[in-house]
Amino acid sequence: MAEAVQQASLKEGSKREKLKREKPAVYEKVIRYQEKVARGESIALIVLNYAYTCNFACEHCCAENFKPKNAGPQARSLTPKDVDNLCRQGDALGLGNIVISGGEPLTYPDFDDVVAAIDPSKWYIAFDTNAWLLDAKKAKHLKSIGVDKAQISLDSFVEEEHDRFRNRPGAYQHVMRAIDASLEAGLNVILMTTMTRDRVRSEEFHNFLEFTKSKGIGAYVTLAKPVGVWEGKFDALCGNAEIDYLNELAQQYDVFTRMSPGYGIDLGCISVKRSVTVIQSGDVMPCPYMFISLGNIFDEPFKDILERGLKIKHFAYGEKHTCLTGNKDYHFIKDYLTKTYGKKGAVPYREVFTAKDFVDGKMH
């Protein structure tokens, strides 16, 4: 364990040195994250679900309720100008990390405008992708406009299984092409993968991790969640035993989850403290899989929304919770997440939480 901790520390130091060289303004913010945590402030990575357009129809899609065909008419949708406003507020709060998500970001006709609105000089910019549109030319272009990292989805190291999961023949081969193209272009790369209970100890997942190790890239594990098209489906969920095993694997491989330490800081579940999701309608959710609105950036300052979120016991500093939405052994799914079932869009926090869920016993 001590060796694993030492390796993680060395890796974090190497990443910071690279950040200092390439994006000094972001580096200056990141090195102050420890101080912000000590003051009880959020250091949230912004997951920006700018739009829900997508060229896939994946088996596990968690954005189904937000897609225009299901969500109904939306009075408001984000524009690059709104992204500029959000990121200016985030920069003023000392935040420096953002992920453009969706949907499939590479289908956005105004993707480049969104990147410019974020301001690459002030933000470390990643994007999520199914890799269908990510070839060598696109990867070089993304690097040239200030994008830093490609987060590519691969849900099985068995080609037929991944293609079936993604409902798109050829998806696996596009991922393999995109990995090499992104690395060649100078983008940082991680592979994102959905983890079910039965997959954790499988030979396929072992081979998956060996592959990422051979490529020198990380593996980000998203625990299966009972939301979106999997709403109410609990059989695939991991429990404490599976999560403990993933933590053991982290001593041998660069594999991590939303509960893994980041920036050298261990916070347990990172909802609000180290990550929030801003969706197309402007609502701010605690995480991409928790369809609860803490407030809307069209209605109030981003700072006020973050502060409200940190006053909710489940997201406040203190106890290091396990994953609130992906651990079948934790009560949050039954007591709170199910209140969002059958509803469209992000459910206002007042419909999910009561005064007893706030640290001071008052609704905010």
Side-chain angles (χ1 to χ4, degrees):
M1 177 65 75
E3 182 180 352
V5 172
Q6 184 180 23
Q7 289 177 348
S9 179
L10 290 172
K11 182 179 179 182
E12 178 66 23
S14 176
K15 287 166 59 178
R16 290 196 182 188
E17 283 302 312
K18 182 179 180 182
L19 187 64
K20 185 177 182 179
R21 292 193 307 270
E22 297 182 355
K23 292 198 169 181
V26 179
Y27 169 81
E28 290 298 328
K29 287 187 278 189
V30 170
I31 61 173
R32 291 181 172 82
Y33 281 176
Q34 285 273 15
E35 299 171 15
K36 288 177 65 62
V37 169
R39 293 195 298 267
E41 300 173 5
S42 174
I43 56 170
L45 157 77
I46 299 175
V47 179
L48 181 66
N49 288 3
Y50 179 74
Y52 290 99
T53 56
C54 189
N55 54 346
F56 275 25
C58 301
E59 175 186 313
H60 67 307
C61 183
C62 66
E64 194 67 17
N65 287 353
F66 299 99
K67 292 179 179 179
K69 66 178 182 178
N70 296 325
Q74 292 182 335
R76 296 171 294 191
S77 292
L78 295 173
T79 66
K81 183 177 180 180
D82 300 318
V83 173
D84 175 85
N85 183 36
L86 170 66
C87 290
R88 286 179 183 273
Q89 292 184 63
D91 178 54
L93 294 173
L95 307 181
N97 298 78
I98 192 167
V99 177
I100 306 172
S101 192
E104 167 53 47
L106 296 186
T107 65
Y108 302 162
D110 53 354
F111 181 91
D112 287 15
D113 295 331
V114 172
V115 172
I118 292 170
D119 190 348
S121 71
K122 296 179 180 177
W123 293 82
Y124 184 89
I125 303 174
F127 69 101
D128 295 337
T129 183
N130 57 40
W132 191 262
L133 300 174
L134 185 54
D135 57 15
K137 181 179 179 180
K138 175 65 74 172
K140 291 177 183 177
H141 171 72
L142 294 172
K143 181 66 176 179
S144 73
I145 63 174
V147 175
D148 300 285
K149 185 178 186 181
Q151 302 189 160
I152 302 171
S153 293
L154 180 64
D155 290 303
S156 174
F157 198 59
V158 177
E159 183 171 353
E160 296 79 9
E161 289 181 358
H162 176 75
D163 288 359
R164 184 168 58 250
F165 197 70
R166 292 278 163 173
N167 287 313
R168 181 63 68 89
Y172 180 93
Q173 289 301 326
H174 278 71
V175 168
M176 293 298 139
R177 177 192 69 177
I179 293 170
D180 291 337
S182 298
L183 291 172
E184 180 65 26
L187 292 168
N188 293 326
V189 176
I190 63 170
L191 283 188
M192 302 194 303
T193 194
T194 301
M195 184 56 61
T196 58
R197 181 184 60 191
D198 294 337
R199 187 183 175 211
V200 175
R201 293 180 172 83
S202 69
E203 180 181 1
E204 174 274 320
F205 184 54
H206 171 78
N207 293 337
F208 180 104
L209 292 178
E210 285 292 325
F211 172 73
T212 59
K213 189 174 184 177
S214 72
K215 288 288 186 179
I217 59 179
Y220 175 64
V221 171
T222 298
L223 302 178
K225 311 292 196 303
V227 296
V229 295
W230 279 2
E231 183 175 289
K233 295 182 179 181
F234 303 104
D235 292 344
L237 301 191
C238 293
N240 289 330
E242 289 77 27
I243 294 172
D244 288 344
Y245 182 67
L246 286 171
N247 291 333
E248 292 176 17
L249 289 175
Q251 299 181 44
Q252 182 179 357
Y253 300 100
D254 185 11
V255 56
F256 46 96
T257 69
R258 280 179 63 85
M259 292 87 71
S260 301
Y263 318 117
I265 307 169
D266 184 5
L267 299 173
C269 174
I270 63 174
S271 295
V272 185
K273 295 185 288 293
R274 193 162 65 81
S275 176
V276 291
T277 298
V278 180
I279 65 176
Q280 183 177 351
S281 61
D283 289 292
V284 179
M285 305 192 306
C287 91
Y289 317 103
M290 201 179 296
F291 302 162
I292 302 168
S293 175
L294 299 173
N296 192 294
I297 62 171
F298 290 120
D299 299 329
E300 57 185 322
F302 186 44
K303 179 177 184 290
D304 293 353
I305 297 172
L306 290 178
E307 289 179 350
R308 175 183 298 124
L310 289 175
K311 290 176 182 175
I312 297 173
K313 291 178 180 178
H314 315 285
F315 316 131
Y317 283 105
E319 183 179 352
K320 293 180 182 177
H321 297 295
T322 184
C323 179
L324 296 173
T325 57
N327 184 350
K328 69 182 180 64
D329 295 331
Y330 199 69
H331 66 83
F332 188 90
I333 296 173
K334 175 179 177 292
D335 293 346
Y336 300 96
L337 197 64
T338 54
K339 294 181 181 180
T340 68
Y341 284 4
K343 299 180 181 180
K344 303 300 182 182
V347 179
Y349 71 94
R350 289 178 175 272
E351 296 181 21
V352 178
F353 302 117
T354 63
K356 69 178 183 180
D357 293 304
F358 285 79
V359 292
D360 58 3
K362 302 176 182 177
M363 289 291 289
H364 291 267

